[in-house]
């Protein structure tokens, strides 16, 4: 069964076109102390959705019974590669920023901004207080906005009835403002210091010391905050002005989803470890009737090909569906590129060229994590067998150091020396990579293992000899790469033991730098719902990623892990228990 992966689209910030965006509205209790009624807020939100909802992939609303869900949304959208927007009614709920400034760093709302997204704040002082309980809660005060934005508390100013003149940008992008506006809590542009900058000012006083509406932009994270109508009521309809802001400024200056283009690729752009039998899918352009799909292992070919010059990568022309099954089975570890051009209907049949997406197919084998190493030899505390499996001494390119403290060195006792490796379960082993002992004078000392007998076991009791192997000598250089491969060819094992027969020298001590075991994924993995998930709908179907080469699946289910019972056998990777 082909498996579809979840998706997020890569987005550039500031003067770039995003491929997909989500928007969420906090419609919990607003500041009803003369600033914003619940009825007015809800009417404004419906106006914004009606006028701008078509620009977004998803539109959601969260009230005071859904504060945890709102926080989950903010965290999930913080780093999803999309440019997303969170609209606030001036209140910042405690699930986004802990009331009383008890989490000045690392809050959900700050993470959302740091992910290159936007907050639109409407009505009164951003981050000052929450009314989520139905009454005025513990105040954050001026520190709330300061902590969230990492700016001075003076970014917002208490200045009732401050008259502001609408700027040229205001007239262009927010025509509902008129010529002048009144703000009670204007922004002080001078406090938006690096990495923040003022991205747009739509109304300001003569001295330029106060502004509202205004947009500030973080040049390091790409985040935006738009302050619109921080006042009791100087707009006839805040929903109209917010809609103008999204339609006219956000969509043209930053960029939202182009309704004519394909978006939301599955797999997501840049994804890795994708099943080799994956089926590609995408969200169609609003006006598309058919789709041209380009697919191949060459970026240049996929990027430059066209109907007139297909370059052998135009694999589907004029298809009606929004899925594509690449021919055959993809190559292990290969990066693939694909593009979907959207084709309008008659009479123009315009072709909208898509962007090039990429993903990398799953590797042949994966490294085993959490390996436990033990030995019957005597080692100094800093040179124990755990050094052979903890990555100590390896750099990002898997090259090993010459530091002895990064390696294992042992002196045998009365019995022949061995070092043993235990995994958390039985694996279908592919191979073992070996980095031999690699101190600076290794070529003179010869501590590295030479002749080794390799054994394996599924239970640690009954052992089977894999064979005798000669480990290649280390280079005694700081950029030493693994130079011995021991093949296991898919044998099942939970334990592997190296029985040491000789070293390269005669010093009476024996050592290794690192070993790594690679396995072929034979077990089911990546369950949905996820391991430990709660609140799962009882009608939810179970699904999983298949083990390599599996033909069928026995599914066990119970309320007690010690009482699992077979509930079905299937050739698919999903099952709906009865």
């Amino acid at each position: 069964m082909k498996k579809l992966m979840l998706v997020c689209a890569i987005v550039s910030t500031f003067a770039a076109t995003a491929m997909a965006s989500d928007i969420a509205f906090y419609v919990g209790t607003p500041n009803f102390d003369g600033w914003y009624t619940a009825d007015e807020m809800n009417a404004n939100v419906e106006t914004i959705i009606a006028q701008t909802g078509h620009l977004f992939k998803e539109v959601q609303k969260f009230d005071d019974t859904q504060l945890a869900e709102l926080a989950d949304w903010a965290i999930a959208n913080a780093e999803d590669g999309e440019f997303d927007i969170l609209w606030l009614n001036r209140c910042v709920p405690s699930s986004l920023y802990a009331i009383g400034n008890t989490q000045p760093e690392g809050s959900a709302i700050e993470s959302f901004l740091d992910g290159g997204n936007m907050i639109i704040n409407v009505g009164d002082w951003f981050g000052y207080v929450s009314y989520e309980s139905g009454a005025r809660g513990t105040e954050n005060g001026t520190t709330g906005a300061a902590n969230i934005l990492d700016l001075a508390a003076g970014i917002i100013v208490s200045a009732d009835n401050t008259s502001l003149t609408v700027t040229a940008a205001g007239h262009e992008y927010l025509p509902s403002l008129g010529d002048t506006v009144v703000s009670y809590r204007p922004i002080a542009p001078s406090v938006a210091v690096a990495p923040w900058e003022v991205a747009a000012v739509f109304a300001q006083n003569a001295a330029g010391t106060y502004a509202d509406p205004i947009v500030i932009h973080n040049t390091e994270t790409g985040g935006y905050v738009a302050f619109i109508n921080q006042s009791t009521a100087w707009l006839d309809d805040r929903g109209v002005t917010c809609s103008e802001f999204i339609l006219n400024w956000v969509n043209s200056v930053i960029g939202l989803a182009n309704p004519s283009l394909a978006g939301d690729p599955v797999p997501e752009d840049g994804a890795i470890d994708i099943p080799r039998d994956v089926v590609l899918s995408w969200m169609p352009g609003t006006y598309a009737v058919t789709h041209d799909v380009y697919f191949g292992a060459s970026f240049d070919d996929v990027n430059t090909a066209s109907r007139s010059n297909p370059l052998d990568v135009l694999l589907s022309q004029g298809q009606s569906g929004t899925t594509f099954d690449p021919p055959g089975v993809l190559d292990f570890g290969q990066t693939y590129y694909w593009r979907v051009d959207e084709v309008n209907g008659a009479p123009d049949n315009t072709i909208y060229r898509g962007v090039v997406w990429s993903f990398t197919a799953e590797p042949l084998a994966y490294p085993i994590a959490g390996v436990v190493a033990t030995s019957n030899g005597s080692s100094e505390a800093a040179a124990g067998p755990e050094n052979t499996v903890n990555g100590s001494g390896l750099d990002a390119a898997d090259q090993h150091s010459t530091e002895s403290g990064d390696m294992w060195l042992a002196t045998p006792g009365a019995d022949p020396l061995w070092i043993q490796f235990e995994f958390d379960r039985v694996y279908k082993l592919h191979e073992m990579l070996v980095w031999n002992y690699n101190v600076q004078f290794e070529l003179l000392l010869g501590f590295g293992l030479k002749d080794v007998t390799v054994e394996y076991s599924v239970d640690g009791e009954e052992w089977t000899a894999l064979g005798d192997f000669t480990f290649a000598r280390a280079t005694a250089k700081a950029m030493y790469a693994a130079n011995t491969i021991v093949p296991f060819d898919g044998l099942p094992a939970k334990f592997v033991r190296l029985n040491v027969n000789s070293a390269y020298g005669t010093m009476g001590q024996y050592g290794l730098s690192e070993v790594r075991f690679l396995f072929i994924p034979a077990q089911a993995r990546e369950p949905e719902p996820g391991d430990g998930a709660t609140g799962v709908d009882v009608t939810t179907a179970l699904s999983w990623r298949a083990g390599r080469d599996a033909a069928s699946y026995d599914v066990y289910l119970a309320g007690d892990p010690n009482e699992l019972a077979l509930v079905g056998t299937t050739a698919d990777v999903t099952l709906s228990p009865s």
Side-chain angles (χ1 to χ4, degrees), residues 210-234:
Y210 297 155
D212 180 10
I214 182 176
V215 185
I216 61 174
H217 169 237
N218 191 309
T219 58
E220 290 183 354
T221 67
Y224 291 85
V225 182
F227 303 93
I228 297 177
N229 186 209
Q230 297 213 145
S231 183
T232 55
W234 49 262

Side-chain angles (χ1 to χ4, degrees), residues 71-90:
D72 290 341
W73 181 92
I75 293 170
N77 285 273
E79 298 287 353
D80 67 351
E82 300 175 356
F83 176 74
D84 302 313
I85 297 177
L86 173 60
W87 184 96
L88 298 174
N89 63 15
R90 113 26 140 183

Side-chain angles (χ1 to χ4, degrees), residues 16 32 48 92 123 164-165 177 183 216 253 271 297 339 366 375 392 480 511 515:
F32 49 71
I48 299 169
V92 177
L164 306 174
T165 301
L177 292 182
S183 180
I216 61 174
V253 175
R339 188 184 101 214
Y366 299 78
S375 174
S392 58
Y480 166 47
V515 298

Side-chain angles (χ1 to χ4, degrees), residues 90-91 99-100 128-141:
R90 113 26 140 183
C91 294
I99 299 300
Y128 200 97
V129 71
S130 172
Y131 282 71
E132 64 196 59
S133 63
R136 190 180 182 93
T138 303
E139 294 184 357
N140 300 318

Side-chain angles (χ1 to χ4, degrees), residues 224-551:
Y224 291 85
V225 182
F227 303 93
I228 297 177
N229 186 209
Q230 297 213 145
S231 183
T232 55
W234 49 262
L235 293 176
D236 292 335
D237 191 327
R238 306 177 208 219
V240 169
T241 304
C242 287
S243 297
E244 292 174 343
F245 172 68
I246 294 171
L247 288 166
N248 301 336
W249 192 84
V250 176
N251 197 31
S252 62
V253 175
I254 301 175
L256 287 173
N258 184 334
S260 299
L261 299 182
D264 294 338
V266 178
E268 68 182 28
D269 187 28
I272 60 175
D273 191 20
I274 301 303
R276 297 192 301 148
D277 57 357
V278 65
V279 174
L280 313 180
S281 68
W282 62 93
M283 177 184 288
T286 302
Y287 314 108
V289 175
T290 61
H291 320 272
D292 293 350
V293 182
Y294 299 82
F295 181 86
S298 166
F299 170 83
D300 290 338
D301 287 350
V302 173
N303 186 50
T304 59
S306 64
R307 283 187 170 185
S308 61
N309 185 25
L311 296 176
D312 295 325
V313 295
L314 176 55
L315 301 191
S316 180
Q317 179 175 320
Q319 72 170 58
S320 59
T322 56
T323 64
F324 175 72
D325 188 350
V329 178
L330 304 182
D331 293 333
F332 287 114
Q334 176 67 53
T335 298
Y336 291 93
Y337 304 90
W338 60 300
R339 188 184 101 214
V340 178
D341 289 357
E342 299 293 67
V343 185
N344 283 6
D348 59 321
N349 300 115
T350 302
I351 297 177
Y352 289 91
R353 185 186 186 281
V355 298
V356 177
W357 299 311
S358 71
F359 67 88
T360 301
E362 62 185 306
L364 172 62
Y366 299 78
I368 299 177
V371 180
V372 176
T374 56
S375 174
N376 67 341
S378 175
S379 302
E380 295 183 4
E386 65 276 3
N387 283 353
T388 63
V389 291
N390 61 11
S392 58
L394 286 177
D395 62 16
D398 278 343
Q399 297 173 329
H400 207 282
S401 74
T402 57
E403 298 295 325
S404 61
D406 294 333
M407 309 174 203
W408 168 64
L409 186 66
T411 301
D415 297 322
L417 179 65
W418 51 258
I419 182 170
Q420 179 176 299
F421 306 96
E422 180 180 356
F423 317 133
D424 61 326
R425 56 180 171 83
V426 174
Y427 286 90
K428 185 177 182 180
L429 292 186
H430 174 55
E431 62 188 17
M432 177 178 67
L433 306 181
V434 180
W435 290 258
N436 218 330
Y437 200 75
N438 192 51
V439 291
Q440 186 175 2
F441 299 106
E442 168 58 19
L443 299 182
L444 295 175
L445 301 173
F447 291 145
L449 304 189
K450 184 179 181 183
D451 296 311
V452 175
T453 299
V454 180
E455 297 178 306
Y456 64 95
S457 172
V458 296
D459 57 8
E461 299 292 334
E462 299 292 330
W463 292 85
T464 301
L466 181 68
D468 294 327
F469 297 86
T470 298
F471 288 1
R473 201 168 193 178
T475 61
K477 297 180 180 179
M479 294 185 293
Y480 166 47
N483 57 356
T484 295
I485 297 177
V486 176
F488 281 83
D489 297 327
L491 291 171
K494 185 179 179 182
F495 299 85
V496 172
R497 180 182 291 172
L498 309 183
N499 298 303
V500 180
N501 300 321
S502 68
Y504 276 91
T506 58
M507 304 295 292
Q509 289 182 298
Y510 305 83
L512 282 174
S513 291
E514 188 84 12
V515 298
R516 178 178 298 160
F517 295 92
L518 301 178
F519 74 98
I520 296 170
Q523 288 96 341
R525 52 196 168 123
E526 299 178 16
E528 291 292 342
D531 186 23
T534 60
V536 177
D537 191 299
V538 294
T539 63
T540 299
L542 310 178
S543 65
W544 56 92
R545 184 168 175 178
R548 186 77 52 76
D549 300 326

